[in-house]
Amino acid sequence: MRFLKVFIFACFLSSCQNIEEVNKPDNLIPQDKMVEVLTELAILNSAKNKNKRTLEETGLQPDTYLYSKYEIDSLQLAESTTYYAKKYDQFDNIYQKVRQNLEVKKAKLEVIREEEQRIEDSIRTAATKDTLKIDSLKTPKTISKDSLVSKPQSIRINN
């Protein structure tokens, strides 16, 4: 039993010694820029999943767009992501900021969507009112002869 405890403890200690230290890449993307890149990447991935056909029709290459916009390349992004992933506190900080950015963008889009819906509703209401006004002004398309001739009233004589 004692041997088993020593063996487990030795395994635990030896596993802790194999942690690789990742060297800081020469072209490391700074944290603030990494937040922007990952925020944009999340939006682009969402767009790819939701509107894949639209992206294909427009010919937009999301990865190329991202690399061009932030003046980075795929290797630089991969190395920077690997580096920050090994630095848990920094990586967690980056992803918390990414999440905050996405929540702010979502809130702004919801405000815009509500405003567009309000405008659509007011246009629809105005169009309905105008249609009702026009309908009430229209004269009947067919007028019968009988409606133009007044009918003689019957005269009743009382005796």
Side-chain angles (χ1 to χ4, degrees):
M1 184 70 168
R2 186 170 189 191
F3 175 73
L4 183 61
K5 287 180 184 178
V6 172
F7 179 72
I8 291 173
F9 184 71
C11 288
F12 177 73
L13 287 178
S14 66
S15 67
C16 292
Q17 293 176 359
N18 291 335
I19 296 175
E20 290 182 33
E21 183 64 30
V22 175
N23 295 328
K24 183 176 178 179
D26 295 333
N27 58 355
L28 180 69
I29 300 171
Q31 281 190 28
D32 56 338
K33 188 174 182 178
M34 191 71 171
V35 169
E36 293 174 26
V37 169
L38 292 176
T39 301
E40 190 84 21
L41 186 61
I43 293 168
L44 288 171
N45 283 333
S46 177
K48 274 197 283 190
N49 292 333
K50 177 115 176 118
N51 299 316
K52 186 175 183 178
R53 182 177 301 151
T54 304
L55 287 174
E56 289 171 353
E57 289 172 359
T58 60
L60 178 67
Q61 299 292 326
D63 295 339
T64 305
Y65 166 77
L66 182 75
Y67 300 144
S68 173
K69 180 176 180 178
Y70 292 100
E71 298 176 347
I72 59 174
D73 58 38
S74 60
L75 179 62
Q76 185 180 10
L77 180 59
E79 288 177 344
S80 296
T81 302
T82 301
Y83 175 78
Y84 287 124
K86 296 289 184 177
K87 307 285 185 182
Y88 177 76
D89 291 339
Q90 291 177 0
F91 203 56
D92 186 51
N93 185 36
I94 289 170
Y95 268 95
Q96 292 301 323
K97 289 178 181 177
V98 168
R99 192 162 97 218
Q100 288 173 352
N101 286 352
L102 292 172
E103 288 172 0
V104 167
K105 289 179 184 294
K106 180 182 176 185
K108 286 179 181 179
L109 286 174
E110 286 174 353
V111 168
I112 291 169
R113 187 179 305 144
E114 288 172 4
E115 180 66 15
E116 287 175 347
Q117 186 63 47
R118 188 189 63 74
I119 291 169
E120 277 183 29
D121 291 346
S122 67
I123 290 171
R124 192 175 297 116
T125 301
T128 303
K129 287 180 182 178
D130 289 345
T131 302
L132 291 174
K133 286 178 186 177
I134 292 171
D135 287 346
S136 67
L137 296 174
K138 288 182 180 177
T139 56
K141 291 182 180 177
T142 57
I143 301 175
S144 67
K145 283 184 175 181
D146 294 340
S147 67
L148 296 176
V149 178
S150 62
K151 295 181 181 178
Q153 296 180 355
S154 56
I155 301 175
R156 207 173 176 192
I157 302 175
N158 291 333
N159 289 336

